[in-house]
Amino acid sequence: MSEPPPDRGMRRARVAAAGTAAVLFAAVGALLGLTTPWNPLPGHVPGGHTAADRALDFTPAEIARSKAFDSALNPPAYSGLLVGLAVVLALGLSPLGARLIGRAAARVRRRPLRVALAAVTLTTVFRLAGLPFDVWRESVLRRYGLSTQSWPSWLADQLKSLGVTWVIYTIALLLLYAVIRRFPRYWWAGAAAGGLVLVIAVSFLYPIAVEPVFNKFHPLPQGRLRSDLLTMAERDGVPVKDVLVADASRRTTSLNAYVSGFGSTRRIVVYDTLLKSPPARVESIVAHELGHAKRDDVLWGTLVGALGVAGALCLLQLLMTSPWLLRRAGVRAGPGKDGGAADPRSAALLLALVTVATQVGTPVQNLVSRHIEARADAHALDLTRDPGVFVSMQHELSVRNISDLAPNPVEYLLWLTHPAGPARIAMARDWARMHDVPVPPPLRSP
Ligand SMILES: [Zn+2]
Protein backbone atom coordinates (compact mmCIF):
# COMPACT_ATOMS: atom_id res chain seq x y z
CA MET A 1 0.00 0.00 0.00
CA SER A 2 1.45 3.38 -0.98
CA GLU A 3 1.48 6.43 1.26
CA PRO A 4 -1.12 9.07 0.39
CA PRO A 5 0.42 12.02 -1.49
CA PRO A 6 1.62 14.83 0.76
CA ASP A 7 -1.29 17.14 1.41
CA ARG A 8 -0.30 20.81 1.49
CA GLY A 9 -3.53 21.90 3.11
CA MET A 10 -2.97 19.39 5.86
CA ARG A 11 0.57 20.62 6.36
CA ARG A 12 -0.68 24.17 6.79
CA ALA A 13 -3.30 22.99 9.28
CA ARG A 14 -0.66 21.15 11.28
CA VAL A 15 1.53 24.24 11.46
CA ALA A 16 -1.46 26.27 12.69
CA ALA A 17 -2.22 23.60 15.31
CA ALA A 18 1.39 23.60 16.52
CA GLY A 19 1.41 27.41 16.71
CA THR A 20 -1.84 27.52 18.66
CA ALA A 21 -0.60 24.83 21.06
CA ALA A 22 2.57 26.86 21.67
CA VAL A 23 0.55 30.02 22.37
CA LEU A 24 -1.82 28.19 24.75
CA PHE A 25 0.99 26.47 26.66
CA ALA A 26 2.89 29.76 26.92
CA ALA A 27 -0.28 31.37 28.30
CA VAL A 28 -0.69 28.58 30.88
CA GLY A 29 2.99 28.89 31.84
CA ALA A 30 2.75 32.66 32.20
CA LEU A 31 -0.49 32.50 34.21
CA LEU A 32 0.91 29.86 36.56
CA GLY A 33 4.22 31.69 36.88
CA LEU A 34 2.52 34.99 37.69
CA THR A 35 -0.38 33.88 39.89
CA THR A 36 0.97 30.91 41.87
CA PRO A 37 1.72 32.09 45.43
CA TRP A 38 5.38 30.99 45.35
CA ASN A 39 5.80 32.65 48.73
CA PRO A 40 2.53 31.88 50.51
CA LEU A 41 3.47 33.65 53.75
CA PRO A 42 5.05 36.91 52.61
CA GLY A 43 6.95 39.08 55.06
CA HIS A 44 9.90 38.90 57.37
CA VAL A 45 10.02 36.07 59.89
CA PRO A 46 11.89 37.29 62.98
CA GLY A 47 14.63 34.79 63.73
CA GLY A 48 14.31 33.10 60.33
CA HIS A 49 12.06 30.38 58.98
CA THR A 50 11.19 27.43 61.20
CA ALA A 51 12.54 24.16 59.80
CA ALA A 52 9.99 21.40 59.36
CA ASP A 53 10.83 18.80 62.00
CA ARG A 54 8.47 15.90 62.58
CA ALA A 55 10.28 14.90 65.81
CA LEU A 56 9.01 18.08 67.51
CA ASP A 57 5.35 17.17 67.36
CA PHE A 58 5.08 13.47 66.48
CA THR A 59 5.97 10.60 68.81
CA PRO A 60 8.41 7.90 67.62
CA ALA A 61 5.42 5.54 67.46
CA GLU A 62 3.48 7.95 65.22
CA ILE A 63 6.51 8.38 62.96
CA ALA A 64 7.06 4.62 62.76
CA ARG A 65 3.40 4.01 61.93
CA SER A 66 3.50 6.60 59.16
CA LYS A 67 6.64 5.01 57.70
CA ALA A 68 5.15 1.52 57.85
CA PHE A 69 1.92 2.67 56.20
CA ASP A 70 3.88 4.46 53.48
CA SER A 71 5.93 1.36 52.68
CA ALA A 72 2.79 -0.77 52.62
CA LEU A 73 1.04 1.63 50.25
CA ASN A 74 3.94 2.27 47.88
CA PRO A 75 4.05 -1.15 46.14
CA PRO A 76 0.40 -1.07 44.99
CA ALA A 77 0.66 2.64 44.12
CA TYR A 78 3.78 2.40 41.96
CA SER A 79 3.07 -0.97 40.37
CA GLY A 80 -0.51 0.12 39.63
CA LEU A 81 0.78 3.26 37.94
CA LEU A 82 3.36 1.34 35.88
CA VAL A 83 1.02 -1.46 34.84
CA GLY A 84 -1.69 1.05 33.94
CA LEU A 85 0.74 2.96 31.72
CA ALA A 86 2.07 -0.26 30.18
CA VAL A 87 -1.44 -1.47 29.32
CA VAL A 88 -2.60 1.82 27.85
CA LEU A 89 0.62 2.17 25.78
CA ALA A 90 0.47 -1.45 24.62
CA LEU A 91 -3.10 -0.92 23.43
CA GLY A 92 -2.46 2.46 21.82
CA LEU A 93 0.96 1.99 20.23
CA SER A 94 0.32 -1.43 18.73
CA PRO A 95 -2.61 -2.73 16.67
CA LEU A 96 -3.95 -4.52 19.78
CA GLY A 97 -6.25 -1.68 20.82
CA ALA A 98 -7.65 -1.15 17.32
CA ARG A 99 -8.28 -4.89 17.03
CA LEU A 100 -10.01 -4.96 20.41
CA ILE A 101 -12.32 -2.09 19.45
CA GLY A 102 -12.90 -3.64 16.01
CA ARG A 103 -14.00 -6.87 17.65
CA ALA A 104 -16.20 -5.12 20.27
CA ALA A 105 -17.96 -3.13 17.55
CA ALA A 106 -17.92 -5.83 14.86
CA ARG A 107 -21.68 -6.03 14.40
CA VAL A 108 -22.35 -2.34 14.87
CA ARG A 109 -22.83 -0.23 11.75
CA ARG A 110 -23.85 3.11 13.23
CA ARG A 111 -20.85 5.33 13.75
CA PRO A 112 -21.82 7.04 17.04
CA LEU A 113 -22.47 3.61 18.53
CA ARG A 114 -19.04 2.43 17.41
CA VAL A 115 -17.48 5.46 19.10
CA ALA A 116 -19.46 4.81 22.30
CA LEU A 117 -18.42 1.15 22.28
CA ALA A 118 -14.78 2.18 21.83
CA ALA A 119 -15.05 4.48 24.88
CA VAL A 120 -16.72 1.84 27.03
CA THR A 121 -14.39 -1.00 25.96
CA LEU A 122 -11.17 0.94 26.52
CA THR A 123 -12.11 2.46 29.88
CA THR A 124 -13.31 -0.95 31.10
CA VAL A 125 -10.10 -2.75 30.07
CA PHE A 126 -8.06 0.02 31.68
CA ARG A 127 -10.04 -0.23 34.92
CA LEU A 128 -9.82 -4.02 34.99
CA ALA A 129 -6.05 -3.80 34.60
CA GLY A 130 -5.91 -1.48 37.63
CA LEU A 131 -8.35 -3.49 39.74
CA PRO A 132 -5.85 -5.89 41.40
CA PHE A 133 -3.78 -2.92 42.55
CA ASP A 134 -6.87 -1.12 43.85
CA VAL A 135 -7.83 -4.26 45.80
CA TRP A 136 -4.29 -4.39 47.16
CA ARG A 137 -4.43 -0.72 48.19
CA GLU A 138 -7.84 -1.14 49.78
CA SER A 139 -6.63 -4.12 51.81
CA VAL A 140 -3.76 -1.96 53.15
CA LEU A 141 -6.23 0.77 54.14
CA ARG A 142 -8.32 -1.87 55.85
CA ARG A 143 -5.35 -3.31 57.74
CA TYR A 144 -4.56 0.18 59.07
CA GLY A 145 -8.17 0.86 60.02
CA LEU A 146 -8.63 3.68 57.49
CA SER A 147 -11.34 1.92 55.51
CA THR A 148 -14.72 1.17 57.04
CA GLN A 149 -16.25 -0.36 53.92
CA SER A 150 -17.29 -3.95 53.27
CA TRP A 151 -15.93 -5.49 50.07
CA PRO A 152 -19.35 -5.52 48.34
CA SER A 153 -19.87 -1.85 49.08
CA TRP A 154 -16.30 -1.10 47.90
CA LEU A 155 -16.99 -2.99 44.68
CA ALA A 156 -20.22 -1.04 44.20
CA ASP A 157 -18.15 2.15 44.45
CA GLN A 158 -15.78 0.88 41.76
CA LEU A 159 -18.72 0.11 39.47
CA LYS A 160 -20.26 3.53 40.05
CA SER A 161 -16.98 5.22 39.31
CA LEU A 162 -16.60 3.13 36.13
CA GLY A 163 -20.11 4.23 35.14
CA VAL A 164 -19.19 7.89 35.62
CA THR A 165 -16.05 7.33 33.48
CA TRP A 166 -18.17 5.71 30.74
CA VAL A 167 -20.50 8.71 30.62
CA ILE A 168 -17.73 11.32 30.56
CA TYR A 169 -15.56 9.47 28.00
CA THR A 170 -18.50 8.61 25.74
CA ILE A 171 -19.65 12.23 25.61
CA ALA A 172 -16.11 13.53 25.05
CA LEU A 173 -15.30 10.98 22.31
CA LEU A 174 -18.64 11.41 20.52
CA LEU A 175 -18.01 15.16 20.31
CA LEU A 176 -14.38 14.73 19.32
CA TYR A 177 -14.99 12.18 16.53
CA ALA A 178 -17.88 14.26 15.19
CA VAL A 179 -15.52 17.26 14.90
CA ILE A 180 -12.71 15.16 13.39
CA ARG A 181 -15.06 13.88 10.67
CA ARG A 182 -16.63 17.22 9.95
CA PHE A 183 -13.34 19.18 9.80
CA PRO A 184 -10.60 16.69 8.79
CA ARG A 185 -7.92 19.40 8.70
CA TYR A 186 -8.96 21.93 11.30
CA TRP A 187 -10.55 19.73 13.92
CA TRP A 188 -7.93 20.82 16.45
CA ALA A 189 -9.64 24.23 16.60
CA GLY A 190 -13.07 22.73 17.32
CA ALA A 191 -11.60 20.20 19.74
CA ALA A 192 -9.66 22.87 21.63
CA ALA A 193 -12.74 25.10 21.95
CA GLY A 194 -14.95 22.13 22.86
CA GLY A 195 -12.40 20.82 25.39
CA LEU A 196 -12.25 24.22 27.04
CA VAL A 197 -16.04 24.37 27.40
CA LEU A 198 -16.29 20.74 28.54
CA VAL A 199 -13.70 21.12 31.34
CA ILE A 200 -15.48 24.20 32.67
CA ALA A 201 -18.90 22.52 32.43
CA VAL A 202 -17.70 19.35 34.21
CA SER A 203 -16.08 21.33 37.03
CA PHE A 204 -19.28 23.35 37.46
CA LEU A 205 -21.62 20.34 37.33
CA TYR A 206 -19.42 17.94 39.32
CA PRO A 207 -20.80 18.88 42.78
CA ILE A 208 -24.41 18.41 41.72
CA ALA A 209 -24.06 15.59 39.17
CA VAL A 210 -21.18 13.38 40.37
CA GLU A 211 -20.57 13.92 44.10
CA PRO A 212 -24.11 12.76 45.07
CA VAL A 213 -23.45 9.45 43.27
CA PHE A 214 -20.90 8.62 45.97
CA ASN A 215 -21.99 10.50 49.10
CA LYS A 216 -25.01 11.92 50.83
CA PHE A 217 -24.77 15.54 51.90
CA HIS A 218 -26.76 17.34 54.55
CA PRO A 219 -26.47 20.86 55.95
CA LEU A 220 -24.41 21.13 59.13
CA PRO A 221 -27.14 21.00 61.84
CA GLN A 222 -28.24 24.14 63.65
CA GLY A 223 -26.15 24.84 66.71
CA ARG A 224 -23.10 26.56 68.06
CA LEU A 225 -20.65 25.17 65.48
CA ARG A 226 -22.81 26.08 62.51
CA SER A 227 -23.44 29.63 63.67
CA ASP A 228 -19.75 30.09 64.55
CA LEU A 229 -18.66 28.90 61.10
CA LEU A 230 -21.15 31.10 59.26
CA THR A 231 -20.19 34.10 61.42
CA MET A 232 -16.53 33.47 60.58
CA ALA A 233 -17.36 33.30 56.85
CA GLU A 234 -19.22 36.60 57.15
CA ARG A 235 -16.29 38.19 59.00
CA ASP A 236 -14.09 36.93 56.17
CA GLY A 237 -16.33 38.51 53.55
CA VAL A 238 -16.94 35.18 51.78
CA PRO A 239 -20.56 34.57 50.87
CA VAL A 240 -21.30 31.05 52.15
CA LYS A 241 -24.91 29.96 52.16
CA ASP A 242 -24.30 26.65 53.81
CA VAL A 243 -21.71 24.24 55.13
CA LEU A 244 -22.45 20.66 54.05
CA VAL A 245 -21.56 17.44 55.84
CA ALA A 246 -20.69 14.37 53.73
CA ASP A 247 -21.39 10.88 55.08
CA ALA A 248 -17.75 9.91 54.54
CA SER A 249 -17.69 7.68 57.64
CA ARG A 250 -19.44 4.92 55.73
CA ARG A 251 -16.24 4.59 53.72
CA THR A 252 -13.33 5.91 55.76
CA THR A 253 -12.08 7.05 59.14
CA SER A 254 -9.89 9.75 57.58
CA LEU A 255 -10.52 13.47 58.00
CA ASN A 256 -11.07 15.91 55.18
CA ALA A 257 -12.85 19.02 54.00
CA TYR A 258 -12.94 20.64 50.59
CA VAL A 259 -14.49 23.26 48.34
CA SER A 260 -15.88 22.23 44.97
CA GLY A 261 -17.76 23.89 42.14
CA PHE A 262 -17.92 27.61 41.55
CA GLY A 263 -20.56 30.28 41.12
CA SER A 264 -23.94 28.91 42.13
CA THR A 265 -22.61 25.36 42.67
CA ARG A 266 -19.78 26.34 45.03
CA ARG A 267 -19.95 24.47 48.33
CA ILE A 268 -17.84 23.92 51.42
CA VAL A 269 -18.00 20.28 52.47
CA VAL A 270 -16.67 18.73 55.68
CA TYR A 271 -16.44 14.99 56.30
CA ASP A 272 -18.70 13.79 59.12
CA THR A 273 -15.57 12.15 60.61
CA LEU A 274 -14.27 15.64 61.32
CA LEU A 275 -17.21 16.63 63.52
CA LYS A 276 -15.91 14.64 66.49
CA SER A 277 -12.90 16.97 66.69
CA PRO A 278 -13.07 19.99 69.02
CA PRO A 279 -15.05 22.85 67.39
CA ALA A 280 -12.04 25.20 67.36
CA ARG A 281 -10.15 22.68 65.18
CA VAL A 282 -13.09 22.35 62.79
CA GLU A 283 -13.09 26.14 62.55
CA SER A 284 -9.41 26.05 61.68
CA ILE A 285 -10.12 23.63 58.80
CA VAL A 286 -13.10 25.60 57.54
CA ALA A 287 -11.00 28.79 57.71
CA HIS A 288 -8.57 27.08 55.30
CA GLU A 289 -11.46 26.21 52.96
CA LEU A 290 -12.67 29.83 53.14
CA GLY A 291 -9.20 30.78 51.90
CA HIS A 292 -9.85 28.69 48.77
CA ALA A 293 -13.31 30.19 48.37
CA LYS A 294 -12.13 33.76 48.84
CA ARG A 295 -9.45 33.38 46.16
CA ASP A 296 -11.78 31.39 43.88
CA ASP A 297 -9.10 28.71 43.65
CA VAL A 298 -11.48 26.17 42.07
CA LEU A 299 -12.63 28.56 39.34
CA TRP A 300 -9.07 29.71 38.62
CA GLY A 301 -7.74 26.15 38.57
CA THR A 302 -10.53 25.16 36.18
CA LEU A 303 -9.83 28.03 33.79
CA VAL A 304 -6.07 27.43 33.67
CA GLY A 305 -6.65 23.67 33.41
CA ALA A 306 -9.10 24.22 30.55
CA LEU A 307 -6.50 26.30 28.65
CA GLY A 308 -3.96 23.50 29.16
CA VAL A 309 -6.46 20.92 27.88
CA ALA A 310 -7.15 23.09 24.82
CA GLY A 311 -3.39 23.26 24.11
CA ALA A 312 -3.09 19.50 24.54
CA LEU A 313 -5.94 18.95 22.06
CA CYS A 314 -4.05 21.01 19.44
CA LEU A 315 -1.03 18.76 19.98
CA LEU A 316 -3.36 15.79 19.73
CA GLN A 317 -4.12 16.59 16.11
CA LEU A 318 -0.40 16.66 15.29
CA LEU A 319 0.07 13.23 16.84
CA MET A 320 -3.19 11.68 15.64
CA THR A 321 -2.44 12.64 12.04
CA SER A 322 1.11 11.27 12.18
CA PRO A 323 1.20 8.40 9.64
CA TRP A 324 3.87 6.67 11.74
CA LEU A 325 1.74 6.64 14.93
CA LEU A 326 -1.40 5.64 13.02
CA ARG A 327 0.46 2.77 11.39
CA ARG A 328 1.76 1.63 14.76
CA ALA A 329 -1.79 1.79 16.14
CA GLY A 330 -3.06 -0.37 13.26
CA VAL A 331 -5.29 2.35 11.85
CA ARG A 332 -5.09 3.00 8.13
CA ALA A 333 -4.05 6.59 7.45
CA GLY A 334 -5.96 7.86 4.50
CA PRO A 335 -7.52 10.81 2.80
CA GLY A 336 -11.01 9.29 3.15
CA LYS A 337 -13.53 10.62 5.62
CA ASP A 338 -13.38 7.54 7.81
CA GLY A 339 -9.65 6.75 7.69
CA GLY A 340 -6.87 7.71 10.06
CA ALA A 341 -7.82 9.75 13.10
CA ALA A 342 -11.51 9.67 12.09
CA ASP A 343 -11.64 5.89 12.48
CA PRO A 344 -13.13 5.15 15.96
CA ARG A 345 -10.53 2.38 16.29
CA SER A 346 -7.96 5.16 16.75
CA ALA A 347 -9.49 5.71 20.22
CA ALA A 348 -6.84 3.39 21.73
CA LEU A 349 -4.06 5.63 20.42
CA LEU A 350 -6.03 8.63 21.67
CA LEU A 351 -6.35 7.19 25.19
CA ALA A 352 -2.62 6.42 25.28
CA LEU A 353 -1.72 9.98 24.29
CA VAL A 354 -4.19 11.47 26.78
CA THR A 355 -2.82 9.27 29.58
CA VAL A 356 0.78 10.24 28.85
CA ALA A 357 -0.16 13.94 28.70
CA THR A 358 -2.01 13.68 32.03
CA GLN A 359 0.97 11.96 33.63
CA VAL A 360 3.35 14.64 32.35
CA GLY A 361 1.06 17.38 33.71
CA THR A 362 0.67 15.87 37.19
CA PRO A 363 3.96 17.08 38.76
CA VAL A 364 3.27 20.65 37.60
CA GLN A 365 -0.27 20.48 38.90
CA ASN A 366 0.94 19.13 42.27
CA LEU A 367 3.63 21.80 42.58
CA VAL A 368 1.13 24.60 41.99
CA SER A 369 -1.45 22.94 44.24
CA ARG A 370 0.97 22.71 47.18
CA HIS A 371 1.57 26.47 47.03
CA ILE A 372 -2.14 27.24 46.78
CA GLU A 373 -2.76 24.97 49.78
CA ALA A 374 -0.06 26.78 51.75
CA ARG A 375 -1.74 30.09 50.92
CA ALA A 376 -5.06 28.72 52.21
CA ASP A 377 -3.21 27.73 55.41
CA ALA A 378 -1.89 31.29 55.75
CA HIS A 379 -5.44 32.52 55.26
CA ALA A 380 -6.70 30.24 58.02
CA LEU A 381 -4.03 31.61 60.37
CA ASP A 382 -4.88 35.22 59.48
CA LEU A 383 -8.56 34.57 60.03
CA THR A 384 -8.47 32.53 63.26
CA ARG A 385 -5.25 34.08 64.66
CA ASP A 386 -4.80 30.86 66.58
CA PRO A 387 -1.64 29.02 65.46
CA GLY A 388 -1.87 26.74 68.52
CA VAL A 389 -5.19 25.29 67.39
CA PHE A 390 -3.90 25.15 63.81
CA VAL A 391 -0.90 23.08 64.93
CA SER A 392 -3.03 20.65 66.92
CA MET A 393 -5.44 20.27 63.98
CA GLN A 394 -2.61 19.59 61.52
CA HIS A 395 -1.17 17.07 63.96
CA GLU A 396 -4.55 15.36 64.26
CA LEU A 397 -4.98 15.34 60.45
CA SER A 398 -1.57 13.75 59.91
CA VAL A 399 -2.06 11.13 62.62
CA ARG A 400 -5.64 10.18 61.73
CA ASN A 401 -4.95 10.02 57.99
CA ILE A 402 -1.54 8.36 58.61
CA SER A 403 0.00 10.93 56.28
CA ASP A 404 3.53 10.68 54.99
CA LEU A 405 5.55 12.88 57.39
CA ALA A 406 8.70 12.91 55.24
CA PRO A 407 7.83 12.34 51.56
CA ASN A 408 10.72 11.74 49.16
CA PRO A 409 11.14 13.82 45.96
CA VAL A 410 9.37 11.24 43.76
CA GLU A 411 6.38 11.20 46.11
CA TYR A 412 6.25 14.99 45.95
CA LEU A 413 6.25 14.87 42.15
CA LEU A 414 3.66 12.14 41.76
CA TRP A 415 1.23 12.33 44.64
CA LEU A 416 1.53 15.33 46.99
CA THR A 417 -1.17 17.94 46.44
CA HIS A 418 -0.61 19.41 49.92
CA PRO A 419 2.54 20.28 51.87
CA ALA A 420 3.43 17.54 54.35
CA GLY A 421 2.13 17.94 57.93
CA PRO A 422 5.44 19.05 59.52
CA ALA A 423 5.83 21.80 56.88
CA ARG A 424 2.31 23.07 57.56
CA ILE A 425 3.04 23.11 61.29
CA ALA A 426 6.36 24.94 60.75
CA MET A 427 4.50 27.61 58.77
CA ALA A 428 2.12 28.17 61.70
CA ARG A 429 5.15 28.80 63.94
CA ASP A 430 6.51 31.29 61.36
CA TRP A 431 3.14 33.02 61.33
CA ALA A 432 3.16 33.28 65.14
CA ARG A 433 6.63 34.89 65.12
CA MET A 434 5.59 37.34 62.42
CA HIS A 435 2.51 38.40 64.34
CA ASP A 436 3.94 38.52 67.85
CA VAL A 437 1.66 35.74 68.99
CA PRO A 438 3.04 33.08 71.38
CA VAL A 439 4.78 30.43 69.24
CA PRO A 440 3.01 27.06 69.67
CA PRO A 441 5.32 24.86 71.75
CA PRO A 442 6.27 21.38 70.48
CA LEU A 443 3.39 18.96 71.01
CA ARG A 444 5.82 16.40 72.39
CA SER A 445 7.06 17.40 75.83
CA PRO A 446 10.87 17.35 75.64
ZN1 LIG B 1 -7.08 23.08 50.73
Side-chain angles (χ1 to χ4, degrees), residues 192-262:
L196 196 97
V197 172
L198 207 61
V199 170
I200 295 170
V202 167
S203 176
F204 182 79
L205 292 175
Y206 196 85
I208 46 178
V210 180
E211 286 177 12
V213 174
F214 297 96
N215 279 101
K216 287 197 177 66
F217 299 89
H218 64 266
L220 183 65
Q222 298 291 341
R224 178 76 189 277
L225 181 62
R226 182 187 169 83
S227 54
D228 281 357
L229 293 178
L230 292 179
T231 310
M232 180 170 70
E234 206 177 292
R235 185 155 59 84
D236 198 18
V238 179
V240 171
K241 274 172 279 175
D242 211 346
V243 175
L244 298 180
V245 180
D247 62 342
S249 58
R250 61 180 208 79
R251 200 172 282 131
T252 179
T253 59
S254 66
L255 309 176
N256 199 8
Y258 63 91
V259 185
S260 63
F262 49 82

Side-chain angles (χ1 to χ4, degrees), residues 257-259 288-289 292 297 372-374 376-377 418 424:
Y258 63 91
V259 185
H288 167 105
E289 303 308 330
H292 288 309
D297 287 338
I372 288 176
E373 293 300 338
D377 279 350
H418 290 63
R424 300 177 82 172

